[in-house]
Amino acid sequence: MKIAVIPGDGIGREVMPAALAVLDAFDLDMEQIPLEIGYGKWERTGCALTDEDLNIIKDCDCVLFGAITTPPDPNYKSVLLRLRKELDLYANIRPFSPLAKIKLPCNKKVFDLVIVRENTEGMYSGVEELHEDAAYTTRVITRTGSERIAESACAIAKKRKKQITIVHKANVLKSDSFFRDVCKGVATRNKISYNEMLVDAMAYDLVLRPEKYDVLVTTNLFGDILSDVAAAISGGLGLCPSANIGNRYALFEPIHGSAPDIAGKGIANPIASILSVKMMLQWMGHEKEAVVLARAVDSVIAKGIVTPDLEGSYSTMDVSEAITKIINVP
Ligand code: NAD
Ligand code: IPM
Ligand code: MN
């Protein structure tokens, strides 16, 4: 397997070495191709992701991604969005369950849910116009795009409780009644039961009753927002991994960003990135190693070896080294 390794910007550059140290502890036969891509490169060279970078990435099997800075500047095109589109990574899979011993913001019961987020269209279609007195973003929802994300959700549901929740805003948006109806058809065809929730009510219920949900399927921007809500109730962004899956390629990354407020201090929580390595190992078929990694993470948290976001005083690399040690000597 050939992995393109993109640390990116800010804490991406700190959590990536921590994650790679854990991956290297398994001594698997993998080639790592390091690439400098992101806002830092754009500032230095005027280009955040070159065509040559893209060719190198397309010659790899998958990507391990840290985090990038995407400034709110209409002239800057997000590298991550370009990668998701170019590699056709249409399913963004974001699992959430509080890890053992994590102090949650409120007294939640145990929960275990997956957000299956459409990753190539919707509000992120790129069909936009910026004029002097108005700006337009076209929310593109296609049958093909909706069918394939619904199929991904059903495939995950088949291994779980055989049910999905379709999250939309069909009371207002025609594009979402279309999305909902396509999802219902796919669920019926797959013998998966479904219910539906309006996205605003979903955000509310996710905070109050996360244990009610199993597999949520939704459009691009709603999935983005709901995943940060789910991260908050799971113990924080520093814990939550994701997999961007297509038919040919995959990209694994924490759901958090480059966190400029803590970058450079060596205190970023590396667990989201380390659990993204776990998702990569599962995608590659290394199930046994994925289980060992998850247990090592649980054990390190249980010992209180955690970064300041979890009220600990350990550094990014302290956490990584503690996890690596357990993998080496279980
Ligand atoms: P963020 O996710 O970077 O940070 C939000 C908050 O969570 C901050 O207080 C940060 O300190 C904290 N946090 C995030 N990850 C953490 C970790 N591993 N350990 C401890 N604390 C952590 O979101 P933001 O501040 O809105 O965005 C910063 C930049 O990142 C922006 O340019 C944004 O566009 C970009 N971004 C990139 C990605 C990505 O690369 N996938 C995702 C989200 C945001
Ligand atoms: C995420 C991020 C990205 C998104 C940004 C950085 C383009 O917030 O992966 O959740 O909106 O998808
Ligand atoms: Mn996000």
Short mmCIF file of all heavy atoms in Angstrom, two decimals, residues 1-60:
data_model
loop_
_atom_site.label_atom_id
_atom_site.label_comp_id
_atom_site.label_asym_id
_atom_site.label_seq_id
_atom_site.Cartn_x
_atom_site.Cartn_y
_atom_site.Cartn_z
N MET A 1 0.84 -1.21 0.00
CA MET A 1 0.00 0.00 0.00
C MET A 1 0.88 1.26 0.00
O MET A 1 1.88 1.34 0.69
CB MET A 1 -0.87 0.04 1.26
CG MET A 1 -2.04 -0.91 1.21
SD MET A 1 -3.43 -0.11 0.39
CE MET A 1 -4.59 -1.44 0.36
N LYS A 2 0.44 2.24 -0.77
CA LYS A 2 1.17 3.50 -0.86
C LYS A 2 0.28 4.60 -0.28
O LYS A 2 -0.86 4.79 -0.75
CB LYS A 2 1.42 3.78 -2.35
CG LYS A 2 2.76 4.34 -2.66
CD LYS A 2 3.01 4.17 -4.15
CE LYS A 2 3.91 5.23 -4.70
NZ LYS A 2 4.14 5.08 -6.14
N ILE A 3 0.80 5.30 0.72
CA ILE A 3 -0.01 6.34 1.39
C ILE A 3 0.60 7.72 1.14
O ILE A 3 1.78 7.94 1.44
CB ILE A 3 -0.01 6.12 2.93
CG1 ILE A 3 -0.34 4.67 3.28
CG2 ILE A 3 -0.95 7.07 3.62
CD1 ILE A 3 -0.05 4.36 4.73
N ALA A 4 -0.20 8.65 0.62
CA ALA A 4 0.24 10.04 0.54
C ALA A 4 0.02 10.66 1.92
O ALA A 4 -1.08 10.59 2.47
CB ALA A 4 -0.59 10.79 -0.51
N VAL A 5 1.08 11.23 2.49
CA VAL A 5 0.99 11.78 3.85
C VAL A 5 1.02 13.31 3.76
O VAL A 5 2.00 13.90 3.31
CB VAL A 5 2.15 11.26 4.72
CG1 VAL A 5 2.14 11.93 6.08
CG2 VAL A 5 2.08 9.74 4.86
N ILE A 6 -0.10 13.94 4.16
CA ILE A 6 -0.22 15.41 4.06
C ILE A 6 -0.47 15.99 5.45
O ILE A 6 -1.61 15.98 5.93
CB ILE A 6 -1.39 15.78 3.11
CG1 ILE A 6 -1.20 15.12 1.73
CG2 ILE A 6 -1.53 17.30 3.00
CD1 ILE A 6 -2.35 15.34 0.76
N PRO A 7 0.56 16.49 6.12
CA PRO A 7 0.35 17.07 7.47
C PRO A 7 -0.50 18.34 7.40
O PRO A 7 -1.34 18.56 8.25
CB PRO A 7 1.76 17.38 7.96
CG PRO A 7 2.68 16.58 7.07
CD PRO A 7 1.98 16.45 5.75
N GLY A 8 -0.26 19.20 6.36
CA GLY A 8 -1.07 20.42 6.19
C GLY A 8 -0.54 21.59 6.98
O GLY A 8 0.66 21.88 6.96
N ASP A 9 -1.41 22.29 7.71
CA ASP A 9 -1.06 23.52 8.43
C ASP A 9 -1.33 23.38 9.93
O ASP A 9 -2.04 22.47 10.36
CB ASP A 9 -1.91 24.68 7.90
CG ASP A 9 -1.80 24.86 6.40
OD1 ASP A 9 -0.67 25.05 5.91
OD2 ASP A 9 -2.85 24.79 5.71
N GLY A 10 -0.84 24.37 10.69
CA GLY A 10 -1.17 24.47 12.12
C GLY A 10 -0.93 23.16 12.85
O GLY A 10 0.11 22.51 12.67
N ILE A 11 -1.91 22.74 13.64
CA ILE A 11 -1.72 21.51 14.44
C ILE A 11 -1.67 20.26 13.56
O ILE A 11 -1.28 19.20 14.04
CB ILE A 11 -2.79 21.33 15.55
CG1 ILE A 11 -4.20 21.18 14.96
CG2 ILE A 11 -2.71 22.44 16.59
CD1 ILE A 11 -5.21 20.61 15.96
N GLY A 12 -2.03 20.38 12.28
CA GLY A 12 -1.87 19.24 11.37
C GLY A 12 -0.43 18.75 11.39
O GLY A 12 -0.16 17.55 11.37
N ARG A 13 0.50 19.71 11.48
CA ARG A 13 1.93 19.37 11.48
C ARG A 13 2.37 18.75 12.80
O ARG A 13 3.46 18.20 12.90
CB ARG A 13 2.76 20.61 11.22
CG ARG A 13 2.47 21.19 9.85
CD ARG A 13 3.41 22.31 9.55
NE ARG A 13 2.87 23.09 8.44
CZ ARG A 13 3.50 24.07 7.86
NH1 ARG A 13 4.69 24.42 8.29
NH2 ARG A 13 2.94 24.71 6.87
N GLU A 14 1.56 18.90 13.84
CA GLU A 14 1.91 18.32 15.15
C GLU A 14 1.25 16.96 15.36
O GLU A 14 1.84 16.04 15.90
CB GLU A 14 1.50 19.30 16.26
CG GLU A 14 2.23 20.63 16.11
CD GLU A 14 1.63 21.74 16.97
OE1 GLU A 14 1.24 21.47 18.12
OE2 GLU A 14 1.55 22.89 16.49
N VAL A 15 -0.01 16.84 14.91
CA VAL A 15 -0.71 15.57 15.12
C VAL A 15 -0.27 14.51 14.11
O VAL A 15 -0.36 13.31 14.39
CB VAL A 15 -2.26 15.72 15.12
CG1 VAL A 15 -2.71 16.54 16.32
CG2 VAL A 15 -2.79 16.34 13.83
N MET A 16 0.24 14.94 12.94
CA MET A 16 0.65 13.94 11.94
C MET A 16 1.84 13.10 12.42
O MET A 16 1.79 11.85 12.35
CB MET A 16 0.95 14.61 10.60
CG MET A 16 1.32 13.62 9.51
SD MET A 16 0.01 12.40 9.21
CE MET A 16 -1.04 13.30 8.09
N PRO A 17 2.94 13.72 12.93
CA PRO A 17 4.04 12.88 13.43
C PRO A 17 3.57 11.94 14.55
O PRO A 17 4.03 10.79 14.65
CB PRO A 17 5.07 13.89 13.96
CG PRO A 17 4.72 15.18 13.34
CD PRO A 17 3.26 15.16 13.01
N ALA A 18 2.65 12.42 15.36
CA ALA A 18 2.12 11.59 16.46
C ALA A 18 1.37 10.38 15.90
O ALA A 18 1.49 9.26 16.41
CB ALA A 18 1.18 12.44 17.34
N ALA A 19 0.60 10.61 14.84
CA ALA A 19 -0.18 9.51 14.23
C ALA A 19 0.75 8.54 13.49
O ALA A 19 0.58 7.32 13.55
CB ALA A 19 -1.22 10.08 13.28
N LEU A 20 1.76 9.11 12.80
CA LEU A 20 2.67 8.24 12.04
C LEU A 20 3.48 7.35 12.97
O LEU A 20 3.76 6.19 12.65
CB LEU A 20 3.62 9.08 11.17
CG LEU A 20 2.99 9.74 9.94
CD1 LEU A 20 4.02 10.58 9.20
CD2 LEU A 20 2.37 8.70 8.99
N ALA A 21 3.84 7.87 14.14
CA ALA A 21 4.60 7.05 15.11
C ALA A 21 3.78 5.83 15.50
O ALA A 21 4.30 4.72 15.63
CB ALA A 21 4.95 7.89 16.34
N VAL A 22 2.47 6.02 15.67
CA VAL A 22 1.59 4.91 16.03
C VAL A 22 1.48 3.92 14.86
O VAL A 22 1.58 2.71 15.03
CB VAL A 22 0.20 5.43 16.47
CG1 VAL A 22 -0.79 4.30 16.66
CG2 VAL A 22 0.33 6.25 17.76
N LEU A 23 1.32 4.46 13.65
CA LEU A 23 1.23 3.58 12.47
C LEU A 23 2.52 2.76 12.33
O LEU A 23 2.48 1.55 12.09
CB LEU A 23 1.00 4.43 11.21
CG LEU A 23 0.99 3.68 9.88
CD1 LEU A 23 -0.16 2.66 9.84
CD2 LEU A 23 0.86 4.64 8.70
N ASP A 24 3.66 3.44 12.51
CA ASP A 24 4.95 2.76 12.34
C ASP A 24 5.15 1.65 13.36
O ASP A 24 5.89 0.70 13.11
CB ASP A 24 6.11 3.78 12.43
CG ASP A 24 6.12 4.71 11.21
OD1 ASP A 24 5.46 4.37 10.20
OD2 ASP A 24 6.75 5.78 11.28
N ALA A 25 4.48 1.75 14.52
CA ALA A 25 4.63 0.73 15.57
C ALA A 25 4.14 -0.64 15.07
O ALA A 25 4.52 -1.67 15.62
CB ALA A 25 3.86 1.14 16.81
N PHE A 26 3.30 -0.65 14.03
CA PHE A 26 2.77 -1.94 13.54
C PHE A 26 3.70 -2.61 12.53
O PHE A 26 3.50 -3.77 12.20
CB PHE A 26 1.37 -1.74 12.94
CG PHE A 26 0.33 -1.45 13.97
CD1 PHE A 26 -0.20 -0.18 14.11
CD2 PHE A 26 -0.09 -2.44 14.84
CE1 PHE A 26 -1.15 0.10 15.08
CE2 PHE A 26 -1.04 -2.18 15.81
CZ PHE A 26 -1.57 -0.91 15.93
N ASP A 27 4.67 -1.87 12.04
CA ASP A 27 5.66 -2.46 11.14
C ASP A 27 4.99 -3.18 9.95
O ASP A 27 5.36 -4.31 9.61
CB ASP A 27 6.52 -3.45 11.96
CG ASP A 27 7.90 -3.58 11.33
OD1 ASP A 27 8.25 -2.73 10.51
OD2 ASP A 27 8.61 -4.57 11.64
N LEU A 28 4.00 -2.54 9.36
CA LEU A 28 3.31 -3.13 8.20
C LEU A 28 4.03 -2.68 6.93
O LEU A 28 4.74 -1.68 6.93
CB LEU A 28 1.84 -2.65 8.17
CG LEU A 28 0.98 -3.13 9.34
CD1 LEU A 28 -0.29 -2.30 9.46
CD2 LEU A 28 0.64 -4.61 9.19
N ASP A 29 3.78 -3.42 5.86
CA ASP A 29 4.46 -3.12 4.61
C ASP A 29 3.71 -1.97 3.89
O ASP A 29 2.77 -2.21 3.14
CB ASP A 29 4.48 -4.39 3.75
CG ASP A 29 5.25 -4.16 2.46
OD1 ASP A 29 6.07 -3.23 2.44
OD2 ASP A 29 4.99 -4.89 1.48
N MET A 30 4.15 -0.73 4.17
CA MET A 30 3.49 0.42 3.55
C MET A 30 4.53 1.45 3.15
O MET A 30 5.50 1.66 3.88
CB MET A 30 2.57 1.10 4.58
CG MET A 30 1.35 0.32 4.90
SD MET A 30 0.44 1.17 6.17
CE MET A 30 -0.62 -0.15 6.69
N GLU A 31 4.28 2.10 2.04
CA GLU A 31 5.19 3.15 1.61
C GLU A 31 4.52 4.49 1.91
O GLU A 31 3.35 4.69 1.58
CB GLU A 31 5.44 3.01 0.11
CG GLU A 31 6.60 3.81 -0.38
CD GLU A 31 6.76 3.70 -1.91
OE1 GLU A 31 6.14 2.80 -2.51
OE2 GLU A 31 7.46 4.56 -2.47
N GLN A 32 5.25 5.40 2.56
CA GLN A 32 4.68 6.71 2.86
C GLN A 32 5.29 7.77 1.96
O GLN A 32 6.52 7.87 1.87
CB GLN A 32 4.96 7.07 4.33
CG GLN A 32 4.25 6.15 5.31
CD GLN A 32 4.69 6.40 6.76
OE1 GLN A 32 5.33 7.40 7.07
NE2 GLN A 32 4.34 5.48 7.63
N ILE A 33 4.46 8.56 1.30
CA ILE A 33 4.94 9.62 0.40
C ILE A 33 4.57 10.97 1.03
O ILE A 33 3.40 11.38 0.96
CB ILE A 33 4.28 9.52 -1.00
CG1 ILE A 33 4.26 8.08 -1.52
CG2 ILE A 33 4.91 10.51 -1.97
CD1 ILE A 33 5.59 7.54 -1.99
N PRO A 34 5.52 11.65 1.68
CA PRO A 34 5.19 12.94 2.31
C PRO A 34 4.98 14.05 1.28
O PRO A 34 5.75 14.16 0.33
CB PRO A 34 6.41 13.23 3.20
CG PRO A 34 7.50 12.34 2.71
CD PRO A 34 6.94 11.28 1.82
N LEU A 35 3.95 14.86 1.49
CA LEU A 35 3.66 15.95 0.55
C LEU A 35 3.37 17.23 1.32
O LEU A 35 2.63 17.20 2.31
CB LEU A 35 2.44 15.60 -0.29
CG LEU A 35 2.63 14.56 -1.40
CD1 LEU A 35 1.28 14.12 -1.94
CD2 LEU A 35 3.50 15.10 -2.51
N GLU A 36 3.93 18.34 0.86
CA GLU A 36 3.60 19.63 1.47
C GLU A 36 2.47 20.26 0.66
O GLU A 36 2.64 20.59 -0.52
CB GLU A 36 4.82 20.56 1.47
CG GLU A 36 4.58 21.78 2.36
CD GLU A 36 5.34 23.02 1.93
OE1 GLU A 36 6.30 22.92 1.15
OE2 GLU A 36 4.93 24.11 2.38
N ILE A 37 1.33 20.38 1.30
CA ILE A 37 0.14 20.92 0.64
C ILE A 37 -0.61 21.77 1.65
O ILE A 37 -0.65 21.40 2.84
CB ILE A 37 -0.74 19.73 0.13
CG1 ILE A 37 -0.12 19.16 -1.14
CG2 ILE A 37 -2.19 20.14 -0.10
CD1 ILE A 37 -0.73 17.86 -1.59
N GLY A 38 -1.19 22.88 1.24
CA GLY A 38 -2.02 23.65 2.17
C GLY A 38 -1.77 25.14 2.09
O GLY A 38 -1.12 25.65 1.17
N TYR A 39 -2.29 25.84 3.07
CA TYR A 39 -2.25 27.30 3.09
C TYR A 39 -0.81 27.82 3.22
O TYR A 39 -0.43 28.80 2.58
CB TYR A 39 -3.11 27.81 4.25
CG TYR A 39 -3.25 29.30 4.31
CD1 TYR A 39 -3.79 30.00 3.24
CD2 TYR A 39 -2.83 30.02 5.44
CE1 TYR A 39 -3.92 31.38 3.29
CE2 TYR A 39 -2.97 31.40 5.49
CZ TYR A 39 -3.51 32.07 4.42
OH TYR A 39 -3.63 33.43 4.47
N GLY A 40 -0.01 27.13 4.04
CA GLY A 40 1.40 27.52 4.23
C GLY A 40 2.12 27.50 2.90
O GLY A 40 2.87 28.43 2.56
N LYS A 41 1.86 26.47 2.11
CA LYS A 41 2.50 26.37 0.79
C LYS A 41 1.98 27.48 -0.13
O LYS A 41 2.74 28.05 -0.91
CB LYS A 41 2.20 24.99 0.20
CG LYS A 41 2.77 24.78 -1.18
CD LYS A 41 2.71 23.33 -1.56
CE LYS A 41 3.01 23.11 -3.02
NZ LYS A 41 3.21 21.70 -3.32
N TRP A 42 0.71 27.78 -0.01
CA TRP A 42 0.11 28.85 -0.84
C TRP A 42 0.79 30.19 -0.52
O TRP A 42 1.15 30.95 -1.41
CB TRP A 42 -1.39 28.94 -0.57
CG TRP A 42 -2.12 29.96 -1.38
CD1 TRP A 42 -2.56 29.82 -2.66
CD2 TRP A 42 -2.49 31.27 -0.96
NE1 TRP A 42 -3.18 30.97 -3.07
CE2 TRP A 42 -3.17 31.88 -2.04
CE3 TRP A 42 -2.33 32.00 0.22
CZ2 TRP A 42 -3.67 33.17 -1.98
CZ3 TRP A 42 -2.84 33.30 0.29
CH2 TRP A 42 -3.50 33.86 -0.79
N GLU A 43 1.02 30.45 0.78
CA GLU A 43 1.67 31.72 1.19
C GLU A 43 3.10 31.79 0.64
O GLU A 43 3.59 32.83 0.27
CB GLU A 43 1.71 31.81 2.71
CG GLU A 43 0.37 32.19 3.33
CD GLU A 43 0.47 32.37 4.84
OE1 GLU A 43 1.08 31.49 5.49
OE2 GLU A 43 -0.06 33.36 5.36
N ARG A 44 3.74 30.60 0.62
CA ARG A 44 5.14 30.54 0.20
C ARG A 44 5.30 30.56 -1.32
O ARG A 44 6.20 31.21 -1.85
CB ARG A 44 5.74 29.23 0.77
CG ARG A 44 7.21 29.29 1.12
CD ARG A 44 7.65 28.08 1.93
NE ARG A 44 7.18 26.81 1.42
CZ ARG A 44 7.64 26.21 0.33
NH1 ARG A 44 8.59 26.77 -0.38
NH2 ARG A 44 7.16 25.05 -0.04
N THR A 45 4.38 29.85 -2.02
CA THR A 45 4.60 29.65 -3.47
C THR A 45 3.46 30.19 -4.33
O THR A 45 3.59 30.21 -5.55
CB THR A 45 4.72 28.14 -3.78
OG1 THR A 45 3.43 27.53 -3.55
CG2 THR A 45 5.76 27.45 -2.91
N GLY A 46 2.34 30.55 -3.71
CA GLY A 46 1.19 31.03 -4.50
C GLY A 46 0.30 29.89 -4.97
O GLY A 46 -0.68 30.13 -5.67
N CYS A 47 0.65 28.65 -4.62
CA CYS A 47 -0.18 27.52 -5.04
C CYS A 47 -0.26 26.50 -3.90
O CYS A 47 0.77 26.03 -3.40
CB CYS A 47 0.43 26.87 -6.28
SG CYS A 47 -0.62 25.58 -6.95
N ALA A 48 -1.48 26.19 -3.46
CA ALA A 48 -1.66 25.30 -2.29
C ALA A 48 -1.56 23.83 -2.65
O ALA A 48 -1.18 22.98 -1.82
CB ALA A 48 -3.01 25.59 -1.63
N LEU A 49 -1.92 23.50 -3.89
CA LEU A 49 -1.93 22.10 -4.35
C LEU A 49 -1.66 22.12 -5.85
O LEU A 49 -2.48 22.62 -6.62
CB LEU A 49 -3.31 21.48 -4.05
CG LEU A 49 -3.67 20.15 -4.72
CD1 LEU A 49 -2.87 19.01 -4.12
CD2 LEU A 49 -5.16 19.85 -4.53
N THR A 50 -0.51 21.62 -6.28
CA THR A 50 -0.16 21.67 -7.70
C THR A 50 -0.72 20.43 -8.43
O THR A 50 -1.08 19.44 -7.79
CB THR A 50 1.37 21.68 -7.90
OG1 THR A 50 1.89 20.44 -7.38
CG2 THR A 50 2.03 22.84 -7.17
N ASP A 51 -0.74 20.51 -9.76
CA ASP A 51 -1.18 19.36 -10.54
C ASP A 51 -0.23 18.18 -10.32
O ASP A 51 -0.64 17.02 -10.33
CB ASP A 51 -1.23 19.71 -12.04
CG ASP A 51 -2.38 20.66 -12.33
OD1 ASP A 51 -3.28 20.77 -11.47
OD2 ASP A 51 -2.38 21.28 -13.40
N GLU A 52 1.05 18.51 -10.11
CA GLU A 52 2.02 17.43 -9.86
C GLU A 52 1.71 16.73 -8.53
O GLU A 52 1.75 15.50 -8.44
CB GLU A 52 3.43 18.01 -9.86
CG GLU A 52 4.49 16.93 -10.06
CD GLU A 52 5.86 17.38 -9.59
OE1 GLU A 52 6.13 18.60 -9.60
OE2 GLU A 52 6.64 16.49 -9.16
N ASP A 53 1.37 17.53 -7.50
CA ASP A 53 0.96 16.93 -6.20
C ASP A 53 -0.20 15.97 -6.44
O ASP A 53 -0.21 14.85 -5.92
CB ASP A 53 0.45 18.01 -5.22
CG ASP A 53 1.53 18.97 -4.78
OD1 ASP A 53 2.70 18.57 -4.71
OD2 ASP A 53 1.19 20.15 -4.50
N LEU A 54 -1.15 16.43 -7.23
CA LEU A 54 -2.36 15.63 -7.48
C LEU A 54 -2.01 14.32 -8.20
O LEU A 54 -2.55 13.25 -7.87
CB LEU A 54 -3.34 16.46 -8.31
CG LEU A 54 -4.79 16.09 -8.21
CD1 LEU A 54 -5.28 16.04 -6.77
CD2 LEU A 54 -5.63 17.11 -8.99
N ASN A 55 -1.08 14.40 -9.15
CA ASN A 55 -0.66 13.17 -9.85
C ASN A 55 0.00 12.20 -8.89
O ASN A 55 -0.23 10.99 -8.95
CB ASN A 55 0.30 13.50 -11.00
CG ASN A 55 -0.46 14.14 -12.14
OD1 ASN A 55 -1.67 13.94 -12.28
ND2 ASN A 55 0.23 14.93 -12.96
N ILE A 56 0.83 12.74 -7.98
CA ILE A 56 1.50 11.87 -7.00
C ILE A 56 0.45 11.21 -6.11
O ILE A 56 0.50 10.01 -5.83
CB ILE A 56 2.51 12.68 -6.15
CG1 ILE A 56 3.63 13.22 -7.04
CG2 ILE A 56 3.08 11.84 -5.00
CD1 ILE A 56 4.57 14.20 -6.37
N ILE A 57 -0.54 12.00 -5.69
CA ILE A 57 -1.61 11.46 -4.83
C ILE A 57 -2.38 10.37 -5.56
O ILE A 57 -2.69 9.31 -5.01
CB ILE A 57 -2.55 12.59 -4.36
CG1 ILE A 57 -1.81 13.54 -3.42
CG2 ILE A 57 -3.80 12.03 -3.67
CD1 ILE A 57 -2.53 14.83 -3.13
N LYS A 58 -2.67 10.61 -6.84
CA LYS A 58 -3.45 9.62 -7.61
C LYS A 58 -2.66 8.35 -7.88
O LYS A 58 -3.24 7.33 -8.24
CB LYS A 58 -3.94 10.26 -8.92
CG LYS A 58 -5.09 11.23 -8.69
CD LYS A 58 -5.66 11.76 -9.98
CE LYS A 58 -6.91 12.60 -9.70
NZ LYS A 58 -7.35 13.37 -10.86
N ASP A 59 -1.36 8.42 -7.68
CA ASP A 59 -0.53 7.23 -7.84
C ASP A 59 -0.47 6.43 -6.51
O ASP A 59 0.10 5.35 -6.45
CB ASP A 59 0.88 7.68 -8.26
CG ASP A 59 1.72 6.52 -8.73
OD1 ASP A 59 1.18 5.66 -9.45
OD2 ASP A 59 2.91 6.45 -8.33
N CYS A 60 -1.04 7.00 -5.45
CA CYS A 60 -1.08 6.31 -4.15
C CYS A 60 -2.44 5.60 -4.00
O CYS A 60 -3.36 5.81 -4.79
CB CYS A 60 -0.92 7.31 -3.01
SG CYS A 60 0.71 8.07 -2.96
#
